[in-house]
Amino acid sequence: MHPCEYGWIALRCYLLICFGEQISAQTRYSVPEEVKEGTVVGNIAKDLGIDVGTLAQRRFRLVSASQNAAVQVNQNNGVLYVQKKIDREELCDGNDVCLINLKIVVENPLEVHYVEIEIRDINDHSPVFLEKKLNLEIIENKAPGARFELPSARDLDVGINSVRNYKLTPNEHFSLELRDGGEEDRIPFLELRKSLDREDVSRHELILTAVDGGNPPQSGFLNISVTVLDTNDNQPVCSQDTYSLTLQENVAVGTVVMRINATDADDGLNGEIEYALGRNTKRKVQDVFHLDTMTGDIRVKGEVDFEENQIYRLNIQAFDKGQPPSSAACKVIIQILDMNDNEPDIELTSLSNMVPEDAKPGTVVSLVSVSDKDSGVNGKVLCSVSDGIPFELKPSAQNNMYSLVTKGNLDREVQEQYEITVTAADMGQPPLTTFKSLHVQLSDKNDNSPEFSRNPLELYLMENNIPGASIFSVSASDRDMNENALISYQILRGDGSQNDMTSFLNINSDNGNIYALKSFDFETTKNFSVVVAATDSGTPSLSSNVTVNVFILDVNDNTPMILSPLNTNGSAEAVEEIPRNVNAGHLVTKVRAYDADIGYNGWLLFSLQEVTDHNLFGLDRYTGQIRTLRSFTETDEAQHKLVIVVKDNGNVSLSATATVIIKAVEPKEAFAASDVKRAVKEDEESNVVFYLIITLGSISTLFVISIIVLIIMQCSKSTNLSSEVLQDTSYDGTLCHSIQYRSGDKRYMLVGPRMSIGSAIAPGSNATTLIVKDRGRRGPGEVTARFIQMNMVKYILVTRQSYN
């Protein structure tokens, strides 16, 4: 026996002793592709030193091969042979090294042997251009040295059998330049060696030949048609021929990686640059990056994964908009940086999305579980919640488990819901962070009373309102919700006193509309107050009150009253006799009137409705005085009739009329008539002079006493009360008075008729009452004022009748 065989047997025994019955070995063979079926690859049994006679007994077999396997083993002699034709390009898809891995098993004792078969490439494919023909347009004044990228040929073979060289048909204007495209690729460029002349030759036909390195070599062809165009004599220029940069993986889609900067010295469209990816840019590059044709921005379009590709190469073409366009080429190399690219995962298990606002601190809201697919430091996760919220995370006994609990008092009226953000960050470099939001809603408790926007409220109501109509609306708000915020309204009834108007009011409990059941009269009631209660529907219910101060405003509902002229039968008519020799401006008589309304409603103006001679008599529109405009003439009538209209200044004015008949008499007749009247009056007055003296004396005494009492009361009032009553200057035309309302910072003044002596007239006497500080009841000042007013009117009437 050969010494080598003894050594081999010894080695096998040693392996059996050390490892039992299992033995493992690996053998490698090499075979070219496309060999005939049955071609022997090698004798495994012989190479492994296995006795051929024992192969069948030891069940020598190939366990990794299938029925359609490219290679098979003969179990009788241990020969490995080609079972079917092998296509390396189909089997390995262009990889540099193509291997078939096999596993050989023999038993008794058990041995496992691994076999690798390298499939060698043969030159069975020719280079191929994806385009059959390429059309190029080159401007005639293009400077020599310009380069134009040409399509590269593709060859399914690898190594020496792939594309190794390019050739171009000889041409005095063009030459071929080859550049390294990376990954053993060579990119052909058509270089302009000599300027073109379109008038000489307008088209050049070229053939680009791609040759592989096989033996014999194979080739492919591309027809290139170059059309020569005019003008646009400046081509774009890139700031760099090659841009190199680094980019982290997992960068967000839309991120701008860089901007290609190309310039063109031309103006207008010939100088505007557009960008495009070169023809040789690979498809996987176009799937990841997008080139903005207008700005030259390179943006992330798809997922950038370091594990998938570490380097991206982009061929960029910069074109101007000239006719024909010029272009420049540049290259961008992007190197991807690896990073911690597995983010933590957060799982939220909410016990309830509704938490009562009176929940105690420590109430569990949700369970939080975090995990990370990374390991070690990159898989260790720290969990937290956003700041400024009354919630916190409590770690549990189980790793990476937390409880989300309340950590303070909650108030739904301050914030009714929370958007809680849970943050999980690993400890990788750089760390990755995951956010997850949890929506928590607070349920309401009846802990807020209804609220009014202001207290008290003020209502200014015009008198003569329609009974049953809504005059005001109160509205309260409740910070609670649902039933706890459902508000009902009611009027708190008074004690039934004289100024208690609650019995004349009603309120809609649902919307707070207040209705007046009667029509209010300013001359009777000027203000009153009512209290409204707002109650929610919670359990227990809460309520609050508001005071509504109602101020009655005057409307023009009183007709002016004529005081003079006034006949004994009550009609506003008088006869006045004047001498014919009076001069212009002579006062004939004066019409006196007053109005019970106030303000503009009681401001009276006088006008002539009818007059026999407009040139003879004139009327003062403010004082009511009738005067002569000129002296009487012989042709003037002896009797003249004047009809005077007295109007107030209300929106819809009211009026009254008075008739004055003026008789012009001779001076002697006037004196005689006056003597007759005086004699008659002396007889009549002789009977009543005694009563008149007593009456006038009584009225004068009462008037003086009333004035003294009123002055004492006014002096004793506070500064605030004094400011509520405004004194007006005397007005010689009509009876006037004034009223001032004060409400908070606002002050309202109503001006109306008053007597020339300054006294006020009571509402009961078609005038207005003076205001005192107590709005609820009439004070002694108002009673005194009423008494003075009534006596003044009586004084005027008695005096007028006495003189009549």
Side-chain angles (χ1 to χ4, degrees):
M1 184 176 290
H2 194 275
C4 292
E5 293 182 358
Y6 283 110
W8 175 250
I9 293 173
L11 178 62
R12 291 180 64 187
C13 293
Y14 176 77
L15 293 174
L16 286 171
I17 292 172
C18 295
F19 302 101
E21 295 183 348
Q22 186 172 359
I23 298 176
S24 171
Q26 184 171 4
T27 305
R28 183 166 184 171
Y29 296 95
S30 176
V31 63
E33 66 174 333
E34 305 291 343
V35 296
K36 296 181 180 180
E37 298 177 2
T39 301
V40 176
V41 178
N43 193 320
I44 298 179
K46 182 179 179 180
D47 295 336
L48 295 178
I50 302 174
D51 188 2
V52 176
T54 63
L55 294 180
Q57 180 182 358
R58 295 184 64 185
R59 296 187 63 194
F60 179 86
R61 63 189 183 277
L62 179 65
V63 298
S64 60
S66 63
Q67 185 177 0
N68 296 324
V71 294
Q72 190 56 266
V73 67
N74 190 322
Q75 296 180 352
N76 296 322
N77 56 19
V79 173
L80 185 65
Y81 62 93
V82 176
Q83 181 175 251
K84 67 174 186 177
K85 185 179 179 180
I86 300 175
D87 188 350
R88 184 185 187 281
E89 286 71 25
E90 179 181 356
L91 182 63
C92 295
D93 191 26
N95 290 340
D96 292 337
V97 180
C98 184
L99 297 176
I100 298 178
N101 295 309
L102 304 175
K103 184 166 65 176
I104 305 296
V105 177
V106 292
E107 299 179 358
N108 299 320
L110 177 63
E111 295 179 9
V112 179
H113 301 276
Y114 295 93
V115 179
E116 286 184 351
I117 302 175
E118 179 183 4
I119 309 300
R120 299 194 307 274
D121 182 58
I122 64 173
N123 192 21
D124 58 342
H125 291 87
S126 301
V128 176
F129 289 92
L130 298 180
E131 301 176 31
K132 298 299 181 181
K133 186 174 182 180
L134 175 63
N135 293 317
L136 290 178
E137 293 181 345
I138 303 177
I139 195 167
E140 64 176 345
N141 59 353
K142 177 68 69 176
R147 295 175 178 83
F148 306 89
E149 183 181 359
L150 301 177
S152 299
R154 294 290 180 261
D155 195 332
L156 297 179
D157 297 325
V158 297
I160 193 64
N161 295 325
S162 63
V163 178
R164 280 290 177 264
N165 198 12
Y166 292 88
K167 296 180 181 179
L168 183 69
T169 54
N171 187 286
E172 65 175 340
H173 294 281
F174 299 96
S175 64
L176 185 65
E177 180 182 352
L178 299 179
R179 290 186 179 182
D180 183 16
E183 300 177 356
E184 297 184 359
D185 288 340
R186 303 186 75 185
I187 300 176
F189 283 82
L190 185 64
E191 181 178 2
L192 182 64
R193 299 179 59 187
K194 181 181 178 181
S195 299
L196 301 175
D197 188 354
R198 182 178 178 277
E199 285 71 24
D200 184 18
V201 179
S202 62
R203 186 182 300 273
H204 296 267
E205 299 293 339
L206 306 174
I207 298 176
L208 178 64
T209 304
V211 182
D212 62 21
N215 188 14
Q218 300 191 53
S219 59
F221 306 92
L222 173 65
N223 295 320
I224 302 174
S225 179
V226 179
T227 302
V228 181
L229 303 177
D230 285 329
T231 61
N232 195 17
D233 54 352
N234 286 288
Q235 68 178 19
V237 177
C238 294
S239 59
Q240 299 180 32
D241 290 336
T242 302
Y243 298 87
S244 298
L245 66 149
T246 59
L247 181 67
Q248 286 186 340
E249 65 173 331
N250 301 326
V251 67
V253 175
T255 299
V256 177
V257 177
M258 66 165 298
R259 171 172 289 187
I260 303 298
N261 185 18
T263 58
D264 194 321
D266 294 326
D267 293 331
L269 293 177
N270 293 333
E272 293 183 11
I273 306 297
E274 289 186 345
Y275 302 89
L277 292 174
R279 293 185 177 90
N280 296 303
T281 303
K282 296 184 178 181
R283 186 64 191 175
K284 60 183 178 181
V285 177
Q286 300 181 29
D287 292 338
V288 176
F289 297 99
H290 169 74
L291 175 63
D292 192 310
T293 59
M294 301 304 296
T295 64
D297 289 342
I298 299 177
R299 297 178 182 270
V300 176
K301 177 182 177 182
E303 182 182 1
V304 180
D305 191 356
F306 175 84
E307 289 72 25
E308 181 178 344
N309 199 0
Q310 300 178 14
I311 296 178
Y312 291 92
R313 291 181 173 87
L314 289 79
N315 298 316
I316 308 296
Q317 292 287 324
F319 298 90
D320 61 22
K321 295 183 179 180
Q323 292 298 328
S326 298
S327 65
C330 59
K331 183 189 297 184
V332 177
I333 300 176
I334 303 175
Q335 185 175 359
I336 307 303
L337 301 178
D338 192 23
M339 60 182 296
N340 178 28
D341 57 351
N342 284 297
E343 297 180 349
D345 182 64
I346 303 174
E347 182 180 354
L348 299 177
T349 304
S350 297
L351 303 181
S352 175
N353 288 334
M354 187 68 70
V355 178
E357 64 174 324
D358 58 349
K360 296 181 179 179
T363 302
V364 178
V365 177
S366 177
L367 299 178
V368 181
S369 174
V370 295
S371 61
D372 196 310
K373 294 180 181 180
D374 297 324
S375 60
V377 176
N378 292 334
K380 188 174 182 180
V381 181
L382 299 178
C383 196
S384 62
V385 295
S386 50
D387 298 330
I389 58 174
F391 299 91
E392 62 181 350
L393 286 176
K394 292 288 186 181
S396 62
Q398 186 177 355
N399 192 23
N400 290 336
M401 288 292 296
Y402 301 86
S403 297
L404 180 64
V405 301
T406 60
K407 70 173 182 180
N409 295 324
L410 305 176
D411 189 351
R412 190 202 66 83
E413 288 70 41
V414 175
Q415 187 168 347
E416 64 180 356
Q417 60 183 5
Y418 291 90
E419 199 69 35
I420 303 174
T421 301
V422 180
T423 304
D426 62 26
M427 300 184 68
Q429 291 300 326
L432 294 179
T433 305
T434 300
F435 304 94
K436 204 160 190 179
S437 296
L438 175 66
H439 181 77
V440 176
Q441 184 81 26
L442 301 185
S443 60
D444 184 50
K445 296 295 180 180
N446 190 27
D447 54 352
N448 290 278
S449 302
E451 296 179 354
F452 291 93
S453 59
R454 291 186 298 109
N455 192 2
L457 300 175
E458 296 176 350
L459 167 62
Y460 294 91
L461 177 65
M462 302 299 293
E463 66 173 326
N464 302 328
N465 57 290
I466 301 174
S470 174
I471 61 173
F472 194 56
S473 179
V474 296
S475 178
S477 60
D478 197 311
R479 299 175 63 191
D480 296 320
M481 61 183 299
N482 298 331
E483 292 296 326
N484 296 331
L486 185 60
I487 299 175
S488 61
Y489 302 89
Q490 62 177 348
I491 295 177
L492 300 183
R493 301 303 175 181
D495 53 2
S497 61
Q498 181 179 1
N499 201 36
D500 180 18
M501 295 294 175
T502 57
S503 59
F504 301 108
L505 300 175
N506 200 359
I507 189 170
N508 188 317
S509 61
D510 295 328
N511 55 28
N513 289 339
I514 298 176
Y515 301 88
L517 304 180
K518 65 169 286 187
S519 179
F520 293 100
D521 185 9
F522 173 81
E523 286 73 29
T524 302
T525 303
K526 291 180 174 53
N527 60 81
F528 61 89
S529 298
V530 60
V531 179
V532 178
T535 306
D536 62 28
S537 300
T539 304
S541 62
L542 302 175
S543 64
S544 61
N545 300 338
V546 65
T547 300
V548 181
N549 295 322
V550 183
F551 298 92
I552 309 301
L553 301 180
D554 182 47
V555 298
N556 191 24
D557 58 348
N558 289 281
T559 303
M561 181 177 179
I562 305 297
L563 295 179
S564 173
L566 194 64
N567 283 343
T568 54
N569 57 4
S571 62
E573 185 175 329
V575 177
E576 298 291 340
E577 292 182 352
I578 61 173
R580 295 183 66 91
N581 60 350
V582 295
N583 298 323
H586 176 75
L587 176 63
V588 178
T589 187
K590 182 176 181 180
V591 178
R592 301 178 184 273
Y594 80 97
D595 196 312
D597 295 321
I598 66 172
Y600 284 100
N601 296 331
W603 183 14
L604 302 182
L605 295 177
F606 301 85
S607 63
L608 286 172
Q609 180 181 13
E610 181 181 342
V611 61
T612 54
D613 192 345
H614 289 281
N615 296 324
L616 186 57
F617 299 100
L619 174 67
D620 189 304
R621 63 178 305 185
Y622 299 108
T623 63
Q625 293 179 352
I626 301 174
R627 295 180 180 271
T628 58
L629 298 178
R630 60 177 175 82
S631 300
F632 283 90
T633 63
E634 295 295 333
T635 58
D636 288 333
E637 298 290 337
Q639 181 171 313
H640 299 270
K641 180 180 180 182
L642 281 71
V643 178
I644 294 89
V645 177
V646 184
K647 289 186 178 181
D648 58 30
N649 278 267
N651 289 334
V652 179
S653 61
L654 302 177
S655 62
T657 60
T659 302
V660 176
I661 298 175
I662 302 175
K663 293 182 178 181
V665 298
E666 295 299 330
K668 295 180 179 180
E669 296 178 1
F671 292 133
S674 61
D675 292 339
V676 172
K677 290 182 179 180
R678 187 178 300 109
V680 173
K681 285 185 177 181
E682 288 177 357
D683 294 336
E684 293 177 353
E685 291 174 358
S686 60
N687 299 322
V688 297
V689 63
F690 179 74
Y691 303 104
L692 180 58
I693 292 173
I694 295 175
T695 301
L696 292 177
S698 301
I699 292 174
S700 300
T701 302
L702 290 174
F703 175 73
V704 172
I705 294 173
S706 300
I707 290 298
I708 294 173
V709 173
L710 183 60
I711 292 173
I712 294 173
M713 292 178 59
Q714 293 295 331
C715 293
S716 64
K717 289 180 182 179
S718 64
T719 305
N720 291 336
L721 181 59
S722 300
S723 64
E724 293 183 359
V725 180
L726 301 180
Q727 298 297 327
D728 292 335
T729 56
S730 154
Y731 187 76
D732 196 24
T734 59
L735 301 174
C736 299
H737 66 279
S738 64
I739 294 179
Q740 179 179 3
Y741 285 136
R742 178 181 294 278
S743 174
D745 295 334
K746 298 180 179 179
R747 186 172 65 177
Y748 302 89
M749 183 178 70
L750 305 176
V751 180
R754 75 173 181 191
M755 295 178 63
S756 58
I757 61 174
S759 300
I761 301 178
S765 303
N766 294 324
T768 304
T769 307
L770 290 173
I771 299 300
V772 295
K773 185 172 184 181
D774 185 4
R775 295 180 178 179
R777 299 182 178 178
R778 281 189 189 133
E782 183 177 352
V783 176
T784 304
R786 285 181 175 273
F787 182 78
I788 295 172
Q789 294 158 6
M790 294 175 62
N791 282 280
M792 285 299 302
V793 173
K794 292 179 180 179
Y795 174 79
I796 294 171
L797 295 178
V798 170
T799 305
R800 179 66 179 175
Q801 291 175 359
S802 300
Y803 283 109
N804 288 339

